[in-house]
Amino acid sequence: MALLERFYPDVYLDSAYEIDYKALYEKGYRAVIFDIDNTLVPHGAPADVRSRTLFAELRRIGYDTMLLSNNKEPRVKPFGDAVSSRYLCKAGKPSPENYRKAMAIMGTAEDTTLFVGDQLFTDVWGAKKAGIYSILVKPIHPKEEIQIVLKRRLEWIVLFCYKHSGKERKEL
């Protein structure tokens, strides 16, 4: 089982929009790194009212934000502009390098930074390797590229073990 634990998120929730960011801020977190596709909007979709509202609320609370995506700039930049967030594209997740670069840009550390994403083998694993608190959320929409669909099959196995390990935490 220890082999699979490297992929376990710190918390697994239904949506990035149900996270109590204010409570996490009160615990000392100051920055949130987000994946975009199927975390904030359906794959390939532009920023919507809900995502723009979330980022405005995060700024009001006092958070700095960063988008971290394996996509190319033509996908990531318009989204970042729409939600007024900095971004790193072609991030090479799960490599921890750009998670660390994001923290350096924001001036935060592992213990003051959160990561929110929808994939275990890229998002969560990369955040864990970088020492960042990881929040896994369920994908927003079932339509995904074939390589992601195949990874989801393996994720089901890891999530099954996670849910039955006693390590699952729903509270933050």
Side-chain angles (χ1 to χ4, degrees), residues 130-145:
I132 302 171
Y133 190 85
S134 62
I135 301 173
L136 177 69
V137 295
K138 293 178 182 172
I140 288 178
H141 195 275
K143 184 181 179 215
E144 297 181 294
E145 296 174 340

Side-chain angles (χ1 to χ4, degrees), residues 70-138:
N70 284 346
N71 271 307
K72 296 176 182 170
E73 192 163 21
R75 164 66 180 132
V76 182
K77 183 183 184 329
F79 194 95
D81 290 347
V83 298
S84 300
S85 180
R86 290 178 285 187
Y87 63 88
L88 292 169
C89 54
K90 295 171 63 175
K93 295 182 287 183
S95 170
E97 180 181 340
N98 279 315
Y99 292 82
R100 292 184 184 122
K101 183 176 180 181
M103 288 186 286
I105 291 168
M106 294 186 292
T108 58
E110 292 88 348
D111 62 346
T112 58
T113 307
L114 306 165
F115 182 84
V116 181
D118 70 300
Q119 293 188 55
L120 285 175
F121 301 134
T122 52
D123 298 331
V124 169
W125 192 24
K128 288 183 73 88
K129 289 195 294 183
I132 302 171
Y133 190 85
S134 62
I135 301 173
L136 177 69
V137 295
K138 293 178 182 172

Side-chain angles (χ1 to χ4, degrees), residues 160-171:
F160 176 84
C161 294
Y162 170 70
K163 289 175 182 176
H164 291 86
S165 70
K167 295 182 187 274
E168 181 178 19
R169 292 191 344 227
K170 289 204 178 217
E171 76 284 345

Side-chain angles (χ1 to χ4, degrees), residues 1-66:
M1 262 331 158
L3 177 67
L4 295 181
E5 288 181 14
R6 74 181 68 188
F7 303 111
Y8 289 0
D10 291 301
V11 177
Y12 182 33
L13 299 170
D14 288 335
S15 169
Y17 298 98
E18 75 173 35
I19 297 169
D20 188 345
Y21 295 100
K22 191 169 191 304
L24 289 165
Y25 191 87
E26 290 169 1
K27 289 182 178 182
Y29 291 98
R30 295 297 180 260
V32 187
I33 302 172
F34 286 97
D35 175 54
I36 300 171
D37 287 322
N38 253 346
T39 298
L40 296 168
V41 293
H43 187 81
D48 57 12
V49 171
R50 187 165 71 157
S51 59
R52 289 191 304 272
T53 301
L54 172 63
F55 278 74
E57 176 63 12
L58 291 170
R59 283 189 297 280
R60 189 192 66 71
I61 292 169
Y63 279 106
D64 198 350
T65 61
M66 181 74 68

